Amino acid sequence: MTASSSMPLPAHEGTGGPQATRLRILVGLAVGLAILGAAFAVLLLTRGAPAETGHHVRVGQPVETSFGAFTVTNVKTTFVPDTQGPPTAAQHNGTVGSNQLQVYIRLVNDRAERGLSFAPRQLRLFTQGGTGRGQVPDGSSIGSTLLPRGGSIDGQVWFDLPQDASTGTGWWLEFKGPVDNAVRVTLDQQQVAPEHGHSHGHSHGHSH
């Protein structure tokens, strides 16, 4: 009786060896990077076009925003006589009062289909060396409003300055749009000497 012998079949290797493992790792990294890139692109689209914040713009220079443009058209300081309380000689002579910073602004809505929501609280005044959240306007010729697409509006906001505030350079006006980064405009280009009298500008809106 002859014993039959069979040759063993070759065993299959795992699943491709070290080369296949490295290939799977590279594919996984590529997919992960593609997902991160897509998520970043979606984030930029949902936030809209950010305003230019790489440098401080100056008076008269329009700032491009996601809705159109924001411009500080003029700025000046004015002496505001104190008229509170019983009349005094100092009040009569106009020597008692405070300085007021008046800032003229323009908003143009070229892109916001549903209109541009604006309120004076979106503006804040910062001083050189100042900290904190800034100073909100003490008054405005523009109230809370919704500016339709294709419209523009001009107005004025004013800030009562502390007694020790400088009437020279070192002020910035910050504007925070609905979806834009905060923009700061340097208010030292068209400063004028304080003058007696007190008048506020008038706002007006129009469509292109």
Side-chain angles (χ1 to χ4, degrees), residues 9-166:
L9 298 174
H12 292 288
E13 294 184 1
T15 55
Q19 292 183 351
T21 301
R22 287 195 294 269
L23 180 61
R24 287 194 298 271
I25 293 175
L26 291 176
V27 171
L29 288 174
V31 172
L33 290 174
I35 293 175
L36 288 175
F40 184 70
V42 171
L43 178 61
L44 290 179
L45 289 175
T46 55
R47 290 188 61 184
E52 178 63 47
T53 56
H55 62 282
H56 291 175
V57 296
R58 296 186 178 276
V59 175
Q61 295 180 338
V63 182
E64 290 295 323
T65 65
S66 63
F67 60 82
F70 169 78
T71 310
V72 173
T73 59
N74 195 13
V75 57
K76 65 179 182 178
T77 52
T78 298
F79 182 80
V80 182
D82 182 7
T83 58
Q84 301 297 320
T88 63
Q91 288 180 345
H92 180 73
N93 294 329
T95 58
V96 177
S98 61
N99 286 323
Q100 186 180 85
L101 183 68
Q102 299 178 351
V103 183
Y104 298 81
I105 63 173
R106 174 178 297 135
L107 295 163
V108 179
N109 179 17
D110 287 333
R111 305 186 184 103
E113 291 284 353
R114 298 182 179 180
L116 169 65
S117 297
F118 172 79
R121 64 177 178 273
Q122 293 172 252
L123 299 167
R124 293 181 183 273
L125 178 68
F126 289 84
T127 58
Q128 187 173 15
T131 58
R133 301 179 61 183
Q135 179 182 347
V136 296
D138 291 286
S140 173
S141 63
I142 310 176
S144 298
T145 186
L146 182 66
L147 184 63
R149 183 178 181 181
S152 65
I153 190 169
D154 293 83
Q156 176 189 356
V157 294
W158 53 89
F159 303 87
D160 293 332
L161 301 177
Q163 293 292 336
D164 57 348
S166 169

